[in-house]
Amino acid sequence: MNDMPHHDRYDDCSCGKCDYCHHKGNRKFRCCFEESGGFDRTPAIWTREQAEQIRITPQNAAPVIDFDALEPTAPDLWVWDTWPLREQDGSIAVLPGGWRVIFSLTAPRSVLPGKRHDIATIRYFYARDGQDWIPGGRVFPQEDPFGSRQWAGSAFVKDGEIFFFYTATGRRGETSVTYEQRLAFARGDVFSDLEGVLFDNWEEHVIIAEPDGEFYQTQEQSGGGIIYSFRDPWYYLDPESGCEFVLFEGNTAITPAVRECEPQNIGDGDFRSGNDVPNGAAQFNGNVGIMLLRNSDYTEWELLPAILEAECVNQQLERPHIVYSGGRYHLFIISHQFTFAPGLDGPDGLYGFVANNLFGNYVPLGEGGLVIANPPEQPFQAYSWLVLPDLSAESFVNYFNLEGLSLNEVGNQPDQYIFNHFGGVLAPTLQLTVDNLDTTIVNELAQGLVMESETQSAPFPPTCEKRRHYGDLEDEDRDDHAHTRGKRSRDDHRINRGGRRKRHRHD
């Protein structure tokens, strides 16, 4: 692709599990690149045939929330998309002083709920019991982050430092709201004791990825009534390989004028012969993107082909994240009813897929992928579910008691009606079970509860033949180690498609 090296440039990597044989720098990158399948790998597909199986059942319908019993998460703020501070392996972090931490998109309650995305700020909360959250304030000083506002991301803690990924939306200082989306990174220090939690001493923020127009659609390539997607970076350390990735929400890179629904996006031959695809379905092209870490300071990444695509099925596969359980990879996304392509009907909900390896053939969980659905009597009561290592799922309270109104119709109501029917607080946590492809909501837990939980280890520790020691490395291999000390070859620059180092302060 362009002047990128071919995949076979990396066929000297003899190790199948990269963290255990090539521990550092370019050698590890090459091994992980090979493990990923390289640039020629084909994404798994969520087909229209599979999505037509979506059904709300007693197993996936969430209980109706007791709205009168809800407590405000922050008295003066709307709170929505939320994620926990994790250890690097994905386990829920517990900081000195016994604190668990969550991060949320927030906006003042004086703002109409529909306008909150245009001024979103990431704030944090901490609690010893994972439930009674204490507001900690803004994560970043106001002038530091990229974008006119910041959307969802992820964060982990290691050796007293926080590694923070977020969506930089728009441009700092813009005079009107724009929807450009880039992936950004910042690194800072964690201060935690019996008195509370503070994040400080942030290094300069870095843009780590922008859509490339080849694997992922740019804003210029996009079209239609739903904004394009390049957001929601979710850091993921693969327990089987030791390779480090970021998942994100994207769109397949193709312009509206040339889009069409391919047979593989529709279903098998029998399904295709009896089902016509409605006009306009080809404009829906959501995917789950992934990129691979290139360096040790988390500022350089390689965009790889998507791991799941939903062309002709859905426009937005939001907030993708993986829970490794039972030796299998459970990929979860959230999606709205209005982002499904014409001819398909799926509720606002949590959707899931499972594969035997990170880059495997993901197949839908539950009914066509539906894991959690809002109950039919409250179809928009919650949104933005995030599944944690113990298979509990946290979310926020969205719109409720709408008496049959659609979300589009809500926007036409008087301001006070909208304020009265929007939650903007953390929702009751739901407990899931997963048995092969079957999923069940088994319990409703406390509002906003994040429990201590650990990511499962790989069932069999990865092993491989380490054929050479550092003292016996050939010249090329010594050069690879030299690259990890800051010196990089021309070929290394050629492959740096997705995460170019950008240490400028101007947005």
Side-chain angles (χ1 to χ4, degrees):
M1 307 185 71
N2 290 338
D3 62 348
M4 295 305 112
H6 293 293
H7 171 103
D8 58 10
R9 180 176 182 272
Y10 302 105
D11 60 9
D12 63 339
C13 176
S14 63
C15 171
K17 302 300 179 185
C18 306
D19 197 40
Y20 296 84
C21 292
H22 303 308
H23 294 281
K24 295 181 180 179
N26 204 42
R27 289 292 295 177
K28 180 175 177 179
F29 167 74
R30 293 182 178 192
C31 191
C32 291
F33 183 85
E34 182 180 272
E35 283 285 312
S36 77
F39 295 145
D40 298 324
R41 174 180 47 78
T42 301
I45 297 175
W46 190 15
T47 68
R48 290 183 65 89
E49 180 178 6
Q50 292 168 337
E52 281 207 354
Q53 305 304 310
I54 293 172
R55 301 287 187 275
I56 299 178
T57 69
Q59 287 71 40
N60 60 36
V64 174
I65 294 172
D66 183 354
F67 303 106
D68 294 332
L70 295 173
E71 297 289 340
T73 306
D76 300 323
L77 297 170
W78 298 129
V79 172
W80 64 105
D81 294 1
T82 297
W83 59 98
L85 179 63
R86 301 177 295 158
E87 301 288 348
Q88 189 173 16
D89 70 353
S91 302
I92 303 301
V94 179
L95 299 180
W99 304 108
R100 281 165 259 176
V101 177
I102 57 173
F103 306 94
S104 299
L105 301 190
T106 65
R109 281 183 171 260
S110 58
V111 174
L112 273 173
K115 297 294 185 182
R116 70 190 190 278
H117 303 286
D118 296 342
I119 58 170
T121 299
I122 302 173
R123 288 179 166 86
Y124 73 98
F125 304 81
Y126 54 95
R128 288 194 178 93
D129 62 359
Q131 179 179 347
D132 296 319
W133 299 105
I134 301 169
R138 291 175 179 265
V139 172
F140 307 123
Q142 188 169 356
E143 67 277 5
D144 280 8
F146 284 103
S148 61
R149 67 270 196 210
Q150 294 74 48
W151 288 353
S154 59
F156 71 87
V157 62
K158 180 181 179 182
D159 298 331
E161 290 187 295
I162 183 172
F163 299 76
F164 204 103
F165 304 83
Y166 65 93
T167 307
T169 308
R171 294 272 175 161
R172 187 187 302 123
E174 62 189 10
T175 56
S176 60
V177 174
T178 65
Y179 292 92
E180 180 189 25
Q181 298 159 47
R182 299 170 293 164
L183 308 185
F185 170 76
R187 182 173 181 170
D189 290 332
V190 179
F191 299 91
S192 182
D193 57 23
L194 293 176
E195 300 300 318
V197 178
L198 176 68
F199 303 108
D200 203 355
N201 300 334
W202 292 100
E203 295 181 3
E204 198 166 16
H205 292 224
V206 181
I207 296 296
I208 56 174
E210 302 179 50
D212 59 352
E214 297 181 39
F215 295 142
Y216 303 103
Q217 185 182 68
T218 64
Q219 187 173 17
E220 291 72 26
Q221 291 173 324
S222 65
I226 306 175
I227 64 170
Y228 86 114
S229 304
F230 194 79
R231 58 181 183 263
D232 303 341
W234 185 260
Y235 173 84
Y236 184 69
L237 173 63
D238 180 8
E240 292 194 0
S241 69
C243 301
E244 297 174 68
F245 301 94
V246 162
L247 278 67
F248 55 90
E249 175 194 359
N251 293 105
T252 302
I254 189 169
T255 57
V258 298
R259 293 180 193 164
E260 59 182 34
C261 294
E262 301 292 342
Q264 64 268 25
N265 300 116
I266 301 172
D268 64 24
D270 290 340
F271 180 83
R272 294 196 304 271
S273 64
N275 290 270
D276 294 328
V277 179
N279 292 333
Q283 304 303 310
F284 292 70
N285 62 331
N287 67 24
V288 173
I290 192 168
M291 60 185 185
L292 169 64
L293 180 64
R294 285 197 57 100
N295 68 354
S296 60
D297 61 7
Y298 295 90
T299 59
E300 296 182 3
W301 297 77
E302 186 70 40
L303 287 177
L304 301 174
I307 61 173
L308 179 70
E309 67 177 19
E311 291 187 44
C312 304
V313 173
N314 199 305
Q315 175 73 3
Q316 293 185 349
L317 310 185
E318 296 190 278
R319 301 193 67 195
H321 55 286
I322 287 176
V323 174
Y324 184 80
S325 179
R328 305 176 81 188
Y329 294 78
H330 298 82
L331 170 65
F332 296 98
I333 59 100
I334 55 173
S335 201
H336 287 290
Q337 184 180 45
F338 72 87
T339 64
F340 277 91
L344 297 174
D345 186 19
D348 281 26
L350 174 77
Y351 293 81
F353 309 83
V354 63
N356 290 326
N357 62 76
L358 178 58
F359 296 96
N361 181 31
Y362 286 91
V363 296
L365 295 168
E367 303 293 329
L370 185 59
V371 176
I372 296 176
N374 282 322
E377 56 268 46
Q378 293 286 351
F380 307 110
Q381 70 170 12
Y383 193 63
S384 203
W385 296 268
L386 186 76
V387 183
L388 304 180
D390 58 3
L391 298 179
S392 62
E394 57 87 8
S395 63
F396 77 95
V397 179
N398 201 16
Y399 291 94
F400 59 92
N401 293 341
L402 297 183
E403 299 178 336
L405 293 179
S406 69
L407 289 184
N408 286 335
E409 292 170 326
V410 170
N412 298 324
Q413 303 305 306
D415 288 358
Q416 194 58 51
Y417 179 94
I418 299 173
F419 282 120
N420 291 343
H421 293 264
F422 181 72
V425 299
L426 296 178
T429 297
L430 300 178
Q431 182 64 57
L432 301 170
T433 60
V434 178
D435 181 10
N436 196 15
L437 298 180
D438 297 326
T439 66
T440 305
I441 301 171
V442 294
N443 199 7
E444 181 183 60
L445 305 175
Q447 180 187 354
L449 178 63
V450 174
M451 297 176 287
E452 291 186 37
S453 58
E454 295 184 356
T455 295
Q456 292 185 10
S457 302
F460 303 103
T463 59
C464 62
E465 179 185 358
K466 189 171 182 179
R467 297 190 300 182
R468 294 179 294 188
H469 296 285
Y470 182 73
D472 301 323
L473 292 179
E474 299 171 357
D475 290 341
E476 178 185 357
D477 298 314
R478 290 194 185 98
D479 287 344
D480 293 337
H481 283 268
H483 296 157
T484 69
R485 298 192 296 271
K487 191 171 183 178
R488 301 176 61 218
S489 73
R490 181 176 302 172
D491 281 345
D492 290 330
H493 284 285
R494 289 173 63 206
I495 196 172
N496 186 20
R497 306 170 58 251
R500 296 174 179 85
R501 186 188 302 265
K502 297 188 178 181
R503 293 194 179 279
H504 50 70
R505 288 302 305 145
H506 301 291
D507 201 7

